[in-house]
Amino acid sequence: MSDIIQLLPDHVANQIAAGEVVQRPASVVKELLENAIDAGATSITLLLKDAGKTLVQVIDNGKGMSTTDARLCFERHATSKIKDAKDLFNLNTKGFRGEALASIAAIAHVELKTRQHNEEVGTAIKIEGSSVISQDVVSTAKGTSLAVKNLFYNIPARRNFLKSDTVETRHIIDEFQRVAMAHPDIAFQLHHNGNEVYHLKESNLRKRIVAIFGNKMNEKLVPLDEQTDIMKIRGFVAKPSYAKKKRGEQFFFVNDRFIKSSYLNHAVNSAFDGLLENGYHPTYFIYFDVPPNTIDINIHPTKTEVKFDNEKALYAILRATVKHSLGQYSVAPVLDFNRDATLDTPYTFKDKPAVSTPKIIVDPDFNPFKNEQISSPAPVTQKREAIPSSSPAQKTSSFKTDYKKDAGSWESLYVNTYESTQQEKLFESEKETETGKTFQIQKKYILSTIKSGVVLIHQSLAHQRVLYEEFLTNITIKDANSQQLLFPINISFSSSDIEMIFSIKSDLESAGFVFNEFTKESVVIGGIPTSISESQISLILEQLLDDLKLEVPDASFSHYDVMAKSFAKSLAIKTGTILSVKEQETLVNNLFSCKEPSVSPLGKPTFKTLTLQEIDNIFSN
């Protein structure tokens, strides 16, 4: 029998490796940015076209490469970062495997231009699918420029799996933000299709975070700073009042490398116990400086997961650090037994006498009915006859006499009238309830009777279905109506969110929004759909951005669908809302008028039917 095991050709092996290293354009961006940082660059520019599918180019002013290094860097496992296995446990650089450029060159058209600082000319190399097309001597700027064009051109199946430009751009911006926040001492620029998205100057950590997420972030931040024998913790957490329902702005960095850790996230959440509403998550930017030999970053291909030698100690220190900072800056309530109580009194009031209690003066002879004589209780529906005028003394005397004589009858008339009125209202409401066909249960479900039994409806999910189909009809079929705002609203967003809103501007205008102006950090809205109120604009747009950041398949219908789902989710009645009988019946009727009443826009069931047979079976056992 012949041998069946054989060595794979290099270009096939590189394509297989690319499946692990390069998942999408954002993976290329991450690898190239990290290489530029390892090269000692102080200024890095990222250029994109079509969300990186057509072009990803990184230009840096690092130390550059020699002619030999420029050719060798595209070989597998060729690296300048490590020399033996021991170096894996003492890493101070971003990349170290030597697989990134070889994998990228196997699935794209790559153009490299590089020159060292002490050289007068540089090297230019062109590679297509692992094959070197040309290598020339060129005049180029100091540093390195690497352009990756037509990603996955030779693997159409992989290219078809890429998401829409909006989603892929979101992933690229996420990677760019993580690298930029880890290195505030490096200047970064990001251009997409000729538009400048970020221009980050060299600065400190706080200014870098504010430059990325907008000026409003500055007032939210609470600094962290803790030095221990095993680590140093620095960074910021956001005040509890600015917590969000989404976990978007949560960043951990270990030795200036972004990581993900549910274990450390739990430590931060536990530090916020009692300060956040249920379902809300804190925002944080936390940096750990630990000895390189105490962590292992080689446990995941993307190097976003790290294994610590002393996880429990790190958990306790992180939790205590966050708690201490929240208390130190008066964000969380604390008990301070060393506080001088006299300092609580303002100095201007310290020596003033105590405020005297005001006196209450009552006039026992005051009579509000001194111009009216009451002789006997008259029916409520009849007018009393006018009493002849007399002197004030006679009026007062007569009032006192008549009041004493008829007090009992007046009181009984008032009490009896009140009780009878309340009883009538009570019986009326009971009759209303008995005749109603729906009942609200625990402010969450609606129970309605049908011929075959009963139906239990989830009020929030049912309302989402009703609103979803209504919005979808208005956006795609009907001409959306817009109401102009007397005073346009200015809403602040981060630069990446502004870019995303601008990319779906036409879709939002089809839904009824009117945009007056776009700036780098805000959007001016002059008109909104008639179905939403002015106070809901910010909530709806934030919800829409969160939904768009998810991986929605690219289709001509997708943006409208996501918008309709976001609008419905934001505006639907919530659990805990009390509905009148009329509102309950209207919701039930609208639900069963929908095309798909059985499921919510997100696929959850809206109601459950119980037949009489099923109900009988419950009690027969």
Side-chain angles (χ1 to χ4, degrees), residues 155 256 482:
I155 312 179
D256 293 334
S482 178

Side-chain angles (χ1 to χ4, degrees), residues 62-96:
K63 57 187 178 183
M65 290 182 284
S66 66
T67 303
T68 304
D69 288 343
R71 179 64 184 85
L72 193 59
C73 71
F74 291 102
E75 298 295 331
R76 289 192 69 195
H77 307 303
T79 179
S80 62
K81 316 299 173 58
I82 61 174
K83 294 182 178 180
D84 54 41
K86 295 180 181 179
D87 293 338
L88 289 173
F89 301 97
N90 192 25
L91 289 170
N92 295 300
T93 58
K94 300 290 185 181
F96 53 88

Side-chain angles (χ1 to χ4, degrees), residues 3 97 217 270 282 325 342 347 434 447 460 467 488-489 533 552 564 598-599 602 605:
D3 299 332
R97 292 178 179 169
M217 179 61 74
S270 63
S325 292
T342 59
Y347 292 108
E434 290 174 359
L447 186 67
S460 181
L467 293 177
I489 297 177
S533 64
V552 181
S598 59
V599 292
L602 298 180

Side-chain angles (χ1 to χ4, degrees), residues 232-245:
K232 179 182 179 182
I233 299 178
R234 55 193 171 91
F236 301 90
V237 294
K239 298 175 182 177
S241 56
Y242 295 102
K244 296 184 176 182
K245 286 190 174 182

Side-chain angles (χ1 to χ4, degrees), residues 23-138:
Q23 300 173 354
R24 54 180 8 121
S27 306
V28 176
V29 170
K30 176 178 181 294
E31 298 292 347
L32 298 186
L33 289 177
E34 290 181 348
N35 284 343
I37 293 171
D38 286 340
T42 59
S43 177
I44 300 175
T45 301
L46 172 61
L47 305 178
L48 302 172
K49 285 186 180 179
D50 302 328
K53 299 174 184 177
T54 303
L55 173 67
V56 174
Q57 184 175 7
V58 172
I59 305 170
D60 68 71
N61 62 348
K63 57 187 178 183
M65 290 182 284
S66 66
T67 303
T68 304
D69 288 343
R71 179 64 184 85
L72 193 59
C73 71
F74 291 102
E75 298 295 331
R76 289 192 69 195
H77 307 303
T79 179
S80 62
K81 316 299 173 58
I82 61 174
K83 294 182 178 180
D84 54 41
K86 295 180 181 179
D87 293 338
L88 289 173
F89 301 97
N90 192 25
L91 289 170
N92 295 300
T93 58
K94 300 290 185 181
F96 53 88
R97 292 178 179 169
E99 292 181 338
L101 293 182
S103 300
I104 294 170
I107 54 174
H109 298 159
V110 177
E111 293 182 10
L112 170 68
K113 292 181 180 181
T114 183
R115 177 167 76 91
Q116 292 180 321
H117 287 234
N118 57 350
E119 298 289 339
E120 294 183 359
V121 293
T123 304
I125 296 178
K126 290 185 179 181
I127 298 178
E128 294 181 4
S130 297
S131 300
V132 178
I133 305 300
S134 65
Q135 180 173 340
D136 302 307
V137 176
V138 295

